Amino acid sequence: MTHGPRYTALVDRLPASVPFVGPETAERERGRPFKARIGANESVFGPSPKAIEAMSREASETWKYGDSLSYDLRMALADRLGVGAGNIIVGEGIDGLLGYLVRLVVGEGDKVVTSFGAYPTFNYHVTGFGGELVTVPYRDDHEDPEALIAKAGEVGAKLVYIANPDNPMGTWHDAATIQRMIDAVPDGTLLVLDEAYLEFAPEGAAPAIDPDDARVIRMRTFSKAYGMAGARVGYAIGAEPLITAFNKIRNHFGMARISQAGALAALHDDAWLAQVQGKVSAARDRLAETARENGLTSLPSATNFVAIDCGADGDFARRVLAELVARDIFVRMPFAAPEDRCIRVSVGHPEDMDAFAEALPQALAAARA
Amino acid sequence: MTHGPRYTALVDRLPASVPFVGPETAERERGRPFKARIGANESVFGPSPKAIEAMSREASETWKYGDSLSYDLRMALADRLGVGAGNIIVGEGIDGLLGYLVRLVVGEGDKVVTSFGAYPTFNYHVTGFGGELVTVPYRDDHEDPEALIAKAGEVGAKLVYIANPDNPMGTWHDAATIQRMIDAVPDGTLLVLDEAYLEFAPEGAAPAIDPDDARVIRMRTFSKAYGMAGARVGYAIGAEPLITAFNKIRNHFGMARISQAGALAALHDDAWLAQVQGKVSAARDRLAETARENGLTSLPSATNFVAIDCGADGDFARRVLAELVARDIFVRMPFAAPEDRCIRVSVGHPEDMDAFAEALPQALAAARA
């Protein structure tokens, strides 16, 4: 008697893992809210007022399904990027697009290369479709393009992943380094270049887009610099055959209508983006200063967060993190050694940064006790 | 030289099929907008004003990821339905949840039973994960519970699908019939009971929910009666082990924050729902009357659309449909014979119904010419 579902063998094997515990979940478990929400690399500076207005306006139109082709948004992005609309797919955040991409290429036992300690949600999808993760270590807190490419060739990887700028370390490579990586992608491998944090990086971190280059797919998002994490709008840029392949499997009517409208308005508000970039840069400096004041070092960052080296091992950093959380500061940290000697602090409003500056010395003292 | 991605064998086999062409796509292709948007079973009556207000308010909070557990919404639904929160999973519309469900249980070559001509997006997911569709015919324009169950047993299906009320015909079965179906589900098969249109059905169309019954998973949505198709909020009700299994594969942060807030507010506005139900009922009567005035019959409907029998074969109905579209009336029709003798018209505002009433005799005359 087997009443109920018979899962696939793969699903039976999968753990009930969750890539991240959300701040709301943590708040419910703690029984009280956080004072500073600076752990998920969200943008406290929020979306453009024009995006907010567009979303509010679209609320009453929510009875209509969203445009299944995200046509207006794709056209605007194509125009902005100098590629064809056929080179762009819009999806439910980079997380959603990574899921589709992995499903397109990764079957049971297929190898996928990434850095040990890099973005866990990508790993979640790879494992979820039966792929086998092969990792290379970070080198000096940077992802290691040469090692990633070499490993991809060695194991015949179907995908090799790099985030530039990197999450969780905030470090980055220049365009020439990434272009060399693209040029060295082994036959039969696709490079997944996650550029979620690109808008926070210095000029010259992204190689020029060649829309016909079948060796790389680039992922970008409205979740970070555009301040719309809750809207779930990401996009991928790639060669047309690959972009078209998403249509074989994606949830065609999966994009929320309000989100499409918001992203379109956000894309056109360059002044807001520039203002956010300025605030992020200032807040990064403030975080580095706070680290220094506490006798700690921080890593140069091309993102909206800063990795602060707590100066000891992962166990110590985890204690610091727990003490910060106990003081109502929501932060996160890298999962893997040796990067887990750091905590990862998202930038915030001056009052968020004040709260962190107040809590950090207490947390360090408690962690040392 | 195989520069670029190597797709899975399954993906290589899949057609670039799209379950539905969206109305925006059709408008772009036609070069002009529709006068009446009554083809996608959206609710022109819109969401509750309280939901619109909640969504507008949440727009400025969109910088935060949505709660990965949709906790507040799940608690409210659980309370409403008299089940545990662990019996409910919230997802990106029923379409999204069907995709997850199929992925959980359907591997290459696994059999899935549905009615010939039933909901195409379910079929899209089954095919997309390598499943093999086995169909039984409608009987007198109703899905045929006994035949579905018999076929599921015969082929050892992992899933058997029924929508009650049915889309695209609008017909329904009473609770006792559906309960008999649940009780007869073969060992090792899971019944997928799609209740997207339930709020439009007469009392007594849904059997009582037994949250521990592992033989059935029920799907409901905010897209239809709650008027929020563009928000992408569906939910499934089932036994806890099955609901928990979704966590192995779902996009944990995939729910738009504004959509969660809107759905929660919508759920609490019973007066709005009742008003919509009344308007839908009146508009259904109007559509039936329009059919009669044109010498046609229509099917009794427990949904927000009416299947109008054009009185001849599928080719004729397709001509009628094309003539309606040419007159700026967006409607759709069943895909499969003999149900494709009908067109499927969603209810609308009185002015939408007027536009349809004006266009139908012209379309019929043109189709007959």
Side-chain angles (χ1 to χ4, degrees):
Chain A
M1 296 285 281
T2 56
H3 270 320
R6 286 174 287 160
Y7 302 107
T8 66
L10 169 59
V11 166
D12 268 334
R13 246 178 19 236
L14 289 177
S17 75
V18 176
F20 293 106
V21 175
E24 282 84 1
T25 307
E27 287 179 332
R28 283 189 296 268
E29 282 166 3
R30 292 153 28 91
R32 66 179 194 278
F34 288 113
K35 193 157 54 183
R37 182 170 165 137
I38 49 175
N41 302 341
E42 297 160 328
S43 179
V44 301
F45 308 114
S48 152
K50 288 175 186 160
I52 294 175
E53 195 202 322
M55 290 188 281
S56 298
R57 203 168 44 228
E58 198 70 17
S60 59
E61 299 296 304
T62 265
W63 63 271
K64 300 173 188 164
Y65 285 101
D67 176 15
S68 61
L69 299 180
S70 295
Y71 183 85
D72 294 340
L73 181 57
R74 275 172 51 242
M75 291 300 283
L77 286 166
D79 187 51
R80 177 69 64 116
L81 298 167
V83 302
N87 298 114
I88 295 178
I89 182 90
V90 168
E92 304 91 335
I94 288 182
D95 284 358
L97 289 167
L98 286 174
Y100 291 138
L101 177 65
V102 170
R103 181 174 160 197
L104 282 174
V105 302
V106 176
E108 297 243 3
D110 285 339
K111 304 284 199 302
V112 171
V113 171
T114 186
S115 303
F116 183 64
Y119 191 47
T121 305
F122 176 69
N123 299 355
Y124 169 79
H125 289 310
V126 171
T127 306
F129 286 102
E132 192 181 312
L133 286 162
V134 181
T135 60
V136 303
Y138 278 67
R139 175 202 287 257
D140 297 333
D141 298 320
H142 290 66
E143 293 198 73
D144 186 340
E146 286 180 28
L148 286 164
I149 289 294
K151 184 60 78 176
E154 182 190 321
V155 303
K158 280 193 155 180
L159 297 175
V160 55
Y161 174 93
I162 191 170
N164 190 54
D166 175 59
N167 176 21
M169 302 313 284
T171 52
W172 73 103
H173 294 286
D174 63 17
T177 303
I178 299 296
Q179 186 60 54
R180 276 198 304 276
M181 190 178 184
I182 295 172
D183 291 335
V185 169
D187 288 355
T189 300
L190 177 70
L191 174 63
V192 185
L193 176 54
D194 183 341
E195 299 183 317
Y197 296 94
L198 183 65
E199 294 86 356
F200 301 119
E203 284 294 310
I209 295 173
D210 174 358
D212 297 322
D213 193 335
R215 299 170 299 185
V216 58
I217 184 166
R218 297 161 82 147
M219 304 254 180
R220 298 185 184 176
T221 184
F222 287 87
S223 296
K224 303 301 177 186
Y226 290 99
M228 294 178 56
R232 315 284 55 226
V233 188
Y235 57 103
I237 314 156
E240 206 159 323
L242 172 56
I243 295 302
T244 305
F246 280 79
N247 288 328
K248 292 183 168 189
I249 58 158
R250 73 186 179 96
N251 190 2
H252 287 267
F253 289 86
M255 288 299 301
R257 189 173 187 97
I258 292 176
S259 301
Q260 292 177 330
L264 185 60
L267 184 66
H268 288 126
D269 193 348
D270 291 317
W272 180 261
L273 182 64
Q275 200 186 93
V276 169
Q277 288 164 327
K279 288 178 180 171
V280 167
S281 176
R284 279 194 308 230
D285 291 347
R286 173 79 195 279
L287 284 171
E289 190 190 310
T290 298
R292 262 194 314 277
E293 288 167 358
N294 287 274
L296 306 179
T297 58
S298 65
L299 275 61
S301 166
T303 65
N304 67 340
F305 59 86
V306 173
I308 295 178
D309 186 337
C310 292
D313 63 3
D315 285 339
F316 179 70
R318 276 183 283 279
R319 286 205 300 278
V320 174
L321 184 102
E323 294 293 343
L324 285 167
V325 168
R327 285 163 181 79
D328 300 337
I329 310 292
F330 168 55
V331 291
R332 285 188 179 140
M333 61 181 289
F335 293 101
E339 292 77 31
D340 67 353
R341 72 190 190 284
C342 299
I343 56 171
R344 191 196 69 178
V345 187
S346 307
V347 306
H349 292 297
E351 54 269 33
D352 299 317
M353 302 292 87
D354 289 347
F356 176 72
E358 189 189 330
L360 182 60
Q362 301 167 17
L364 285 166
R368 284 173 185 138
Chain B
M1 295 285 282
T2 54
H3 270 319
R6 287 174 286 159
Y7 302 106
T8 66
L10 169 59
V11 166
D12 268 333
R13 241 175 28 233
L14 289 177
S17 75
V18 176
F20 293 106
V21 174
E24 282 84 1
T25 308
E27 287 179 332
R28 283 189 296 268
E29 283 166 3
R30 293 153 27 91
R32 67 179 192 278
F34 287 113
K35 193 157 55 182
R37 182 170 165 137
I38 48 175
N41 302 340
E42 298 160 327
S43 178
V44 301
F45 308 114
S48 152
K50 289 175 185 161
I52 294 174
E53 196 202 322
M55 290 188 281
S56 298
R57 204 168 44 228
E58 199 70 16
S60 58
E61 299 296 303
T62 266
W63 62 272
K64 300 172 188 164
Y65 285 101
D67 176 15
S68 60
L69 299 180
S70 296
Y71 184 84
D72 295 340
L73 181 57
R74 275 173 51 242
M75 290 301 283
L77 286 166
D79 187 51
R80 178 69 65 117
L81 298 166
V83 302
N87 298 114
I88 295 179
I89 182 90
V90 168
E92 304 90 337
I94 289 181
D95 284 358
L97 289 167
L98 286 174
Y100 291 138
L101 177 65
V102 170
R103 181 174 161 199
L104 282 174
V105 304
V106 176
E108 298 242 5
D110 285 339
K111 304 283 200 302
V112 171
V113 170
T114 186
S115 303
F116 183 65
Y119 191 48
T121 305
F122 177 69
N123 300 355
Y124 169 79
H125 290 309
V126 171
T127 307
F129 285 102
E132 192 183 310
L133 287 162
V134 182
T135 60
V136 302
Y138 278 67
R139 176 203 286 256
D140 298 332
D141 298 322
H142 290 66
E143 294 199 72
D144 186 340
E146 284 179 29
L148 286 163
I149 290 293
K151 184 60 78 177
E154 182 190 321
V155 303
K158 280 194 156 181
L159 297 175
V160 55
Y161 174 92
I162 190 170
N164 190 54
D166 174 60
N167 175 20
M169 302 312 285
T171 52
W172 73 101
H173 293 287
D174 63 17
T177 303
I178 299 296
Q179 186 60 54
R180 274 197 304 276
M181 190 179 183
I182 296 172
D183 291 335
V185 170
D187 288 356
T189 300
L190 177 69
L191 174 63
V192 186
L193 176 54
D194 183 341
E195 299 183 318
Y197 296 94
L198 184 65
E199 293 87 354
F200 301 119
E203 284 293 310
I209 295 174
D210 173 358
D212 297 322
D213 193 334
R215 299 170 299 185
V216 58
I217 185 167
R218 296 161 82 146
M219 305 254 180
R220 296 185 184 176
T221 184
F222 286 86
S223 296
K224 303 301 175 186
Y226 291 99
M228 294 178 58
R232 314 283 57 223
V233 188
Y235 56 103
I237 314 156
E240 205 159 323
L242 172 56
I243 295 302
T244 304
F246 281 78
N247 287 328
K248 291 182 169 188
I249 58 159
R250 73 186 179 94
N251 190 2
H252 286 267
F253 288 86
M255 288 298 301
R257 189 173 187 96
I258 291 176
S259 301
Q260 292 176 331
L264 185 60
L267 184 66
H268 288 128
D269 194 348
D270 291 316
W272 179 261
L273 182 65
Q275 199 186 94
V276 169
Q277 288 165 326
K279 286 178 181 171
V280 167
S281 176
R284 278 193 310 230
D285 291 347
R286 173 78 197 280
L287 284 172
E289 189 189 311
T290 299
R292 261 195 314 275
E293 286 167 0
N294 287 275
L296 306 179
T297 58
S298 65
L299 274 60
S301 166
T303 64
N304 68 340
F305 60 85
V306 173
I308 294 178
D309 186 336
C310 292
D313 62 3
D315 286 339
F316 179 71
R318 276 183 284 278
R319 285 205 300 277
V320 174
L321 184 101
E323 296 292 344
L324 285 167
V325 168
R327 286 163 180 79
D328 299 337
I329 309 291
F330 168 55
V331 291
R332 285 187 177 139
M333 61 180 289
F335 293 101
E339 292 75 32
D340 67 353
R341 72 190 189 284
C342 298
I343 56 170
R344 192 196 70 178
V345 186
S346 307
V347 305
H349 291 298
E351 55 268 34
D352 298 317
M353 303 292 87
D354 289 347
F356 176 72
E358 189 188 331
L360 181 61
Q362 301 167 17
L364 285 167
R368 283 174 185 137

